[in-house]
Amino acid sequence: MPEKQKEIIDGIISKDDLRDVLASMGQLNVKNEELEAMIKEASGPINFTVFLTMFGEKLKGADPEDVIVSAFKVLDPEATGLIKKQFLEELLTTQCDRFSAEEMKNLWAAFPPDVAGNVDYKNICYVITHGEEKEE
């Protein structure tokens, strides 16, 4: 059995596998030192579960809060800090990586709109970057 095929079958992500994954995401010139540092972050061999956990940790808070808030501000020309629930729901269910009805239900359960139908997007941004709601 060819060596490369053996690596794939054993379920362990090697430095070369990691390089391939990063290349598929557009990062083509990753240095060996960077790959080795990534491999060392794991407590042992990197299987798929460990890889997903590490990847998720890297993504959590990947963009600073102000960057995410700035993206929402494009939808808030009056700089109120609020966005209409109906408008946000329409965007999230019709554009790009569309939210399902269940995901929208979960979003509104976590971030209920006020009585006027407005959503505090700054609070959403805080939770995305910090993982918990602000203390009022």
Side-chain angles (χ1 to χ4, degrees), residues 61-112:
D63 286 322
E65 185 176 359
D66 63 323
V67 172
I68 300 171
V69 169
S70 292
F72 271 100
K73 283 182 178 178
V74 171
L75 306 172
D76 179 25
E78 296 172 16
T80 62
L82 303 170
I83 187 170
K84 287 288 184 189
K85 172 189 182 252
Q86 183 177 357
F87 179 58
L88 184 57
E89 186 164 334
E90 181 180 330
L91 288 174
L92 294 175
T93 57
T94 63
Q95 306 296 313
C96 298
D97 191 11
R98 297 180 177 123
F99 276 43
S100 67
E102 183 70 20
E103 288 169 322
M104 291 310 306
K105 179 180 169 190
N106 292 338
L107 177 66
W108 301 139
F111 304 102

Side-chain angles (χ1 to χ4, degrees), residues 19-30:
R19 182 186 313 277
D20 292 343
V21 169
L22 292 170
S24 73
M25 294 171 30
Q27 295 186 13
L28 301 175
N29 297 317
V30 181

Side-chain angles (χ1 to χ4, degrees), residues 45-65:
I46 302 174
N47 63 23
F48 187 66
T49 304
V50 171
F51 174 76
L52 288 179
T53 301
M54 292 173 67
F55 192 70
E57 288 171 357
K58 293 289 184 195
L59 286 179
K60 184 179 179 187
D63 286 322
E65 185 176 359

